[in-house]
Amino acid sequence: MSFGLCNAPATFMRVMKDLFRYFLDNFVYLDDILVYSRTWDENLCHMKKVLDVMKNEKFYVKLSKSEFGKNSLVYLGATYTD
């Protein structure tokens, strides 16, 4: 998708909301893809579901921009810790 187009961000968000419609408000927050969980085992299950959807729809994650297994993060200007 060309991000030089004026409606590309809205199109991207529409596609992401469609792909992850069953997970929204459960364990996926979209701006970036943020998967949150209460426990490590739950997180592994959630990540598998998210990555399976992405694989089935031929979407890819850039590993250099990804972080996994974090106990805290700065997101949208706020710091979150468990």
Side-chain angles (χ1 to χ4, degrees), residues 4-82:
L5 302 174
C6 65
N7 65 345
T11 301
F12 175 77
M13 287 305 297
R14 190 170 39 254
V15 169
M16 292 292 106
K17 284 181 180 181
D18 184 52
L19 284 179
F20 297 114
R21 65 188 168 275
Y22 299 113
F23 307 142
L24 293 176
D25 298 326
N26 292 320
F27 59 86
V28 172
Y29 177 79
L30 293 176
D31 181 26
D32 297 322
I33 298 173
L34 175 62
V35 178
Y36 53 92
S37 310
R38 290 186 192 102
T39 67
W40 178 251
D41 289 335
E42 190 177 68
N43 186 258
L44 292 176
C45 179
H46 292 165
M47 285 301 305
K48 180 172 180 3
K49 289 178 182 180
V50 168
L51 293 173
D52 284 347
V53 167
M54 293 181 73
K55 181 180 176 182
N56 290 338
E57 298 297 329
K58 296 181 177 48
F59 278 78
Y60 302 95
V61 173
K62 187 170 186 174
L63 289 178
S64 65
K65 292 185 173 186
S66 301
E67 298 181 59
F68 299 95
K70 305 279 289 188
N71 290 327
S72 65
L73 63 107
V74 176
Y75 192 71
L76 300 175
T79 302
Y80 300 90
T81 60
D82 61 343

